Amino acid sequence: MLDSAPAPRAKAASGHREHDHAGHSHDLPAGTKRVNLALQGGGAHGAFTWGVLDRLLEEETLSIEGISATSAGAMNATVVAYGLAQGGREGGRKALDNFWRRVSHAASLGPLQPTPIERLMGTKALEWSPAFLAFDFMTRVLSPYQFNPSNYNPLRKVLEQTVDLEAVRSHCCPVKLFLSATNVRTGRIKVFGNDELSIDAVLASGCLPFLFQAVEIDGEAYWDGGYMGNPAIFPLIYDCDSPDVIVVHINPLKREELPKSAGEILNRINEISFNSSLMREMRAIEFVTSLIDDKRLNGNSLKRMRLHAIADEAAMSELSVTSKLNADLDFLLSLKQRGRAQAETWLAECFGRVGRESTVDVRAMYL
């Protein structure tokens, strides 16, 4: 579990060898590019990341070294790491497909369903759902310790049925995982690595305090990691060799329309809050990069990061906040296809520059 880390120092180039989380080295095919992934959280919108991962896993010349992730991103990361450990690239794709279909099935047994009106109109929101309206009101006046005293979380069973965490913790797992959670008492970020991974750790990363009781691990209580890192970039800087990081965005950084309804205002507050830690890290990375480029620092002593992003700001901005609770399979599959399409575009336009330079203007996008 990482509490802090030293300044990011440059690491020696590793040629065509990579190291798994246990430190074992493996040969990489010639021409393979190693990257790290940073996966945001966002409820059912995490199916967009499913699509991104599904497409990236098809790319034989792309190798994933580490994944830092939060909330729904942490679940995607855990599932894909398990799949890769068990069955390589195709195993990763199958595990993700199995996970999201199980999520949809579990949701289909509950009350939060699109109404016939919403299905007819093609909307992905749940604003017309009586069950959602009642649930929304209840979570505003009661805590999860009151309305859910048994602390039931359907995602626990889904994860238990989908992944064998022994495979993720073993030396067979080719991916280094860094799952973020927020310590309720201290307000500090906690990062769970492969060796410490548990179902509780994954659920802690996605524990929204208005919906679920804090997750207790080793005497500490945790909430959603998005409050302190959505996702955290520093573990990829300190503990991975590759300086290339692909951030997969779910939460829009910018919205053109001013939020006016109570739900819209609350949603935008959450988006800003969950993006703030990422923005701060990007500012620090840009600052160090500028010092290196201006030769005000020794470029051999500090690690120069190369940043990339896969997102669909326009499409994600159009989705209602209530759609984050919509696990209808058709909706999830539509998000998956959006993710695949954006990954396809990124591969066509940016993959050739990986290993040489950033493909996003950090100052324009984040600062």
Side-chain angles (χ1 to χ4, degrees):
M1 196 178 291
L2 305 177
D3 291 325
S4 60
R9 298 290 174 180
K11 298 182 180 181
S14 56
H16 292 295
R17 295 183 69 79
E18 65 177 352
H19 297 81
D20 59 28
H21 77 93
H24 301 94
S25 62
H26 308 275
D27 289 322
L28 284 173
T32 299
K33 297 185 178 185
R34 285 189 307 161
V35 301
N36 298 305
L37 302 179
L39 311 181
Q40 285 196 319
H45 294 182
F48 174 86
T49 303
W50 169 24
V52 171
L53 293 172
D54 189 70
R55 178 61 188 91
L56 294 182
L57 288 173
E58 293 178 342
E59 202 65 28
E60 294 289 341
T61 56
L62 184 148
S63 174
I64 301 171
E65 180 184 3
I67 306 178
S68 180
T70 297
S71 198
M75 296 181 192
N76 275 318
T78 302
V79 171
V80 77
Y82 162 72
L84 287 168
Q86 293 292 92
R89 295 173 182 272
E90 192 59 30
R93 297 181 66 211
K94 288 181 178 179
L96 285 167
D97 186 84
N98 185 29
F99 170 74
W100 283 101
R101 290 181 183 276
R102 286 184 183 274
V103 167
S104 180
H105 176 71
S108 71
L109 303 177
L112 295 180
Q113 302 294 320
T115 65
I117 294 177
E118 287 161 335
R119 293 183 187 277
L120 184 63
M121 296 174 61
T123 179
K124 308 305 179 183
L126 298 175
E127 277 91 349
W128 294 91
S129 168
F132 170 77
L133 294 174
F135 180 73
D136 184 53
F137 175 77
M138 182 172 59
T139 58
R140 292 174 189 266
V141 297
L142 298 175
S143 83
Y145 295 88
Q146 295 171 309
F147 69 76
N148 186 14
S150 64
N151 200 24
Y152 172 70
N153 187 337
L155 289 174
R156 178 179 294 277
K157 185 176 181 180
V158 170
L159 286 167
E160 290 173 346
Q161 293 175 334
T162 306
V163 300
D164 177 3
L165 291 182
E166 286 299 324
V168 181
R169 290 188 290 259
S170 77
H171 69 274
C172 297
C173 183
V175 178
K176 302 172 186 176
L177 290 186
F178 309 96
L179 308 188
S180 297
T182 301
N183 187 304
V184 179
R185 296 185 176 91
T186 67
R188 297 175 62 185
I189 189 171
K190 291 294 185 182
V191 180
F192 296 91
N194 297 63
D195 295 340
E196 301 167 300
L197 211 59
S198 65
I199 296 297
D200 281 340
V202 181
L203 293 176
S205 184
C207 179
L208 291 171
F210 296 109
L211 300 182
F212 303 110
Q213 298 179 24
V215 178
E216 299 277 346
I217 301 175
D218 296 331
E220 293 291 348
Y222 296 98
W223 281 340
D224 195 293
Y227 295 107
M228 297 302 295
N230 192 29
I233 304 298
F234 73 86
L236 303 175
I237 300 175
Y238 301 139
D239 296 297
C240 293
D241 293 321
S242 174
D244 286 275
V245 177
I246 304 173
V247 183
V248 181
H249 288 275
I250 292 179
N251 299 304
L253 294 169
K254 182 179 180 180
R255 283 188 181 271
E256 297 296 338
E257 294 186 9
L258 182 69
K260 295 181 179 180
S261 71
E264 290 172 344
I265 292 171
L266 181 60
N267 179 50
R268 188 55 182 156
I269 289 173
N270 286 334
E271 286 178 345
I272 293 172
S273 174
F274 275 38
N275 282 328
S276 63
S277 57
L278 177 62
M279 305 279 269
R280 287 194 297 271
E281 285 196 277
M282 289 300 184
R283 184 176 295 277
I285 291 171
E286 173 65 14
F287 177 68
V288 172
T289 299
S290 66
L291 292 179
I292 294 174
D293 290 346
D294 294 342
K295 296 183 170 37
R296 287 184 283 172
L297 288 176
N298 182 354
N300 293 322
S301 64
L302 290 175
K303 188 174 182 179
R304 192 185 195 286
M305 301 302 295
R306 295 187 288 263
L307 299 172
H308 317 275
I310 299 178
D312 192 340
E313 286 270 312
M316 302 308 282
S317 295
E318 293 177 355
L319 295 176
S320 164
V321 61
T322 64
S323 65
K324 292 182 179 181
L325 297 175
N326 181 4
D328 179 75
L329 184 59
D330 288 342
F331 178 47
L332 298 182
L333 290 174
S334 70
L335 287 172
K336 176 192 176 184
Q337 290 307 311
R338 286 187 179 277
R340 278 190 59 89
Q342 290 301 315
E344 182 70 45
T345 298
W346 182 85
L347 287 167
E349 297 178 354
C350 302
F351 187 58
R353 297 158 60 191
V354 170
R356 295 189 289 109
E357 61 185 359
S358 294
T359 58
V360 296
D361 185 336
V362 175
R363 183 172 296 276
M365 186 169 185
Y366 298 103
L367 309 186

